[in-house]
Amino acid sequence: MQNLPASSRWATWLNGNYVVRILELVQDLIVISLCIGLFSFMVMQLRGMFLSLLPPLNFPEVTSDILFLLILVELFRLLIIYLQEHRVSIGVAVEVSIVSVLREIIVRGVLDTPWTQVLASCSFLVVLGGLLVVRAWIPPTFDGIDPEQEVSRRHRIRFAHDIADIAERDTVKPPLD
């Protein structure tokens, strides 16, 4: 590698997995720092929630704090899944979105919210619910399974069989009478 020109060395280095591994490491460090920060924020939020349980009890504030903690827990779970599998879980992201919308509706109160916002929230929840249903039908795309490569492989095999069938038909000639 020492005898290669500088441009070839750069091309070899960039085409190798070095850059990808370094970028993945940096990305993992960023996600780990997000996990630590989110965990610290959850502890502070939990402390505030316990303080809000002291008399006089403000039920809407306690409910809001509990739902907010559930959102934080789901976000933390999303980050952990990313660290383990290096993918964003669509199901967990949709669940976080659903809980967030429901929290806003509960905290504001359905009767105090304008009907257009309630209608928009309901439409959004229907779409998110549809995403969860569709996501259940889609096969998982992790553990090294790339659906696009799998479909491409099937098409190549089918194409090879079709070519073989055509070649076989062309080579077999009907007997002459």
Side-chain angles (χ1 to χ4, degrees):
M1 182 145 172
Q2 296 298 332
N3 298 334
L4 294 174
S7 61
S8 293
R9 278 184 273 159
W10 275 106
T12 304
W13 190 77
L14 289 175
N15 287 337
N17 290 330
Y18 304 116
V19 175
V20 173
R21 279 190 256 151
I22 290 171
L23 290 175
E24 283 181 347
L25 177 67
V26 170
Q27 194 170 11
D28 285 348
L29 291 174
I30 291 171
V31 173
I32 289 170
S33 66
L34 284 173
C35 284
I36 293 169
L38 186 60
F39 188 77
S40 302
F41 185 68
M42 285 190 318
V43 169
M44 292 185 322
Q45 194 67 26
L46 193 60
R47 179 185 166 275
M49 186 186 75
F50 283 128
L51 290 177
S52 69
L53 288 173
L54 297 174
L57 185 65
N58 186 357
F59 184 72
E61 184 180 334
V62 172
T63 306
S64 171
D65 288 344
I66 291 171
L67 290 172
F68 186 62
L69 269 172
L70 288 175
I71 292 169
L72 295 177
V73 167
E74 289 297 314
L75 285 173
F76 190 77
R77 190 174 78 160
L78 186 66
L79 291 173
I80 295 299
I81 289 171
Y82 181 81
L83 281 175
Q84 289 174 341
E85 301 178 7
H86 285 237
R87 69 176 183 91
V88 175
S89 172
I90 294 173
V92 176
V94 170
E95 290 170 7
V96 168
S97 301
I98 289 172
V99 173
S100 298
V101 170
L102 291 176
R103 176 189 178 269
E104 288 301 314
I105 290 173
I106 290 171
V107 168
R108 288 186 183 174
V110 176
L111 298 177
D112 297 333
T113 307
W115 69 272
T116 54
Q117 286 183 345
V118 172
L119 185 63
S121 297
C122 289
S123 302
F124 187 60
L125 288 172
V126 166
V127 169
L128 291 175
L131 278 174
L132 279 179
V133 170
V134 168
R135 180 66 185 132
W137 290 339
I138 296 174
T141 59
F142 47 94
D143 289 339
I145 300 170
D146 187 1
E148 292 174 359
Q149 287 182 356
E150 200 61 31
V151 169
S152 176
R153 185 183 63 80
R154 282 188 217 138
H155 285 295
R156 283 191 307 253
I157 291 171
R158 188 179 317 140
F159 182 71
H161 285 292
D162 291 346
I163 294 289
D165 289 343
I166 291 170
E168 186 178 309
R169 267 186 279 150
D170 289 345
T171 56
V172 175
K173 298 192 185 207
L176 295 173
D177 289 340

